Amino acid sequence: MRKGIVIHSHTGNTLHVASEISGVLTSVVEKVEAENEDPNSTDPIVLTRNPSVEHYDFIVFGAPVRGFSLSPVMKKYLEGLDLTNKTIFCFVTQHLKSPMFGGNRAVKQMKKLCESKGGEVMDVAVVNWSSNKKDELIKDIIIKLSKNNV
Ligand SMILES: Cc1cc2nc3c(=O)[nH]c(=O)nc-3n(C[C@H](O)[C@H](O)[C@H](O)COP(=O)(O)O)c2cc1C
């Protein structure tokens, strides 16, 4: 099975989780990037790095939560993909301690978007950066991915 990890990360939290996952999947981490990475900008998003997922069977997508929603850069990226016949794991990172403050909503948006593009989402996760369970939450992702033998 060909496995990929594609993320958007502005300040490095999502990248940190993705790097941990890359050790398990033995896949490289590919970043989605936009011309203007200012999270407060209202300019239309223009992607400057838009990784192809054509050659993958299994993909982990990761992104930050922005204003109780999925990062607009990841949203724009996913909107442009065809995920037919792909198995997917989605995760988001957020600052606040509870997934009720944006994480659940953002990861649900991510799942729905992947499914609307033909993908099958096997599971999702939220990592709460200011929670004292942060490391456990990351470990849970690693365990889920290892158990599923992907
Ligand atoms: C504009 C903006 C909006 C944010 N909104 C939320 C939010 O609604 N809930 C939350 O918990 N964290 C929020 N955050 C914090 C980020 O989700 C969090 O720091 C995330 O882990 C950053 O990921 P990154 O380092 O990969 O960019 C926001 C950050 C920014 C810059």
Side-chain angles (χ1 to χ4, degrees):
M1 186 180 274
R2 296 158 303 171
K3 296 168 273 186
I5 305 169
V6 181
I7 59 148
H8 175 234
S9 183
H10 184 56
T11 56
N13 296 349
T14 311
L15 178 62
H16 173 85
V17 179
S19 305
E20 300 272 314
I21 295 171
S22 78
V24 184
L25 298 191
T26 57
S27 310
V28 292
V29 178
E30 295 174 272
K31 283 184 80 177
V32 178
E33 286 174 359
E35 199 172 78
N36 183 355
E37 287 280 344
D38 176 359
N40 298 311
S41 168
T42 52
D43 291 349
I45 290 158
V46 178
L47 298 179
T48 49
R49 199 181 275 187
N50 198 349
S52 165
V53 293
E54 225 175 292
H55 45 296
Y56 297 131
D57 308 298
F58 177 80
I59 313 151
V60 174
F61 289 122
V65 175
R66 293 272 172 84
F68 283 68
S69 297
L70 177 62
S71 122
V73 173
M74 183 48 99
K75 181 170 181 281
K76 171 92 180 178
Y77 169 70
L78 290 174
E79 282 168 352
L81 295 182
D82 176 4
L83 297 174
T84 311
N85 295 327
K86 314 281 186 199
T87 305
I88 292 155
F89 182 94
C90 297
F91 78 91
V92 292
T93 67
Q94 69 173 116
H95 173 71
L96 297 171
K97 283 183 186 162
S98 166
M100 287 192 305
F101 298 120
N104 284 343
R105 185 165 180 263
V107 87
K108 206 169 155 188
Q109 288 176 324
M110 207 173 179
K111 179 174 188 271
K112 263 185 121 173
L113 196 43
C114 290
E115 287 171 346
S116 76
K117 295 292 168 181
E120 190 190 323
V121 178
M122 62 168 253
D123 212 342
V124 300
V126 178
V127 179
N128 303 89
W129 220 255
S130 57
S131 162
N132 52 15
K133 291 195 175 139
K134 181 191 83 177
D135 292 339
E136 269 176 60
L137 293 168
I138 298 173
K139 211 183 263 176
D140 283 350
I141 295 178
I142 306 292
I143 291 168
K144 271 182 188 172
L145 291 172
S146 320
K147 271 194 185 153
N148 277 283
N149 222 359
V150 289

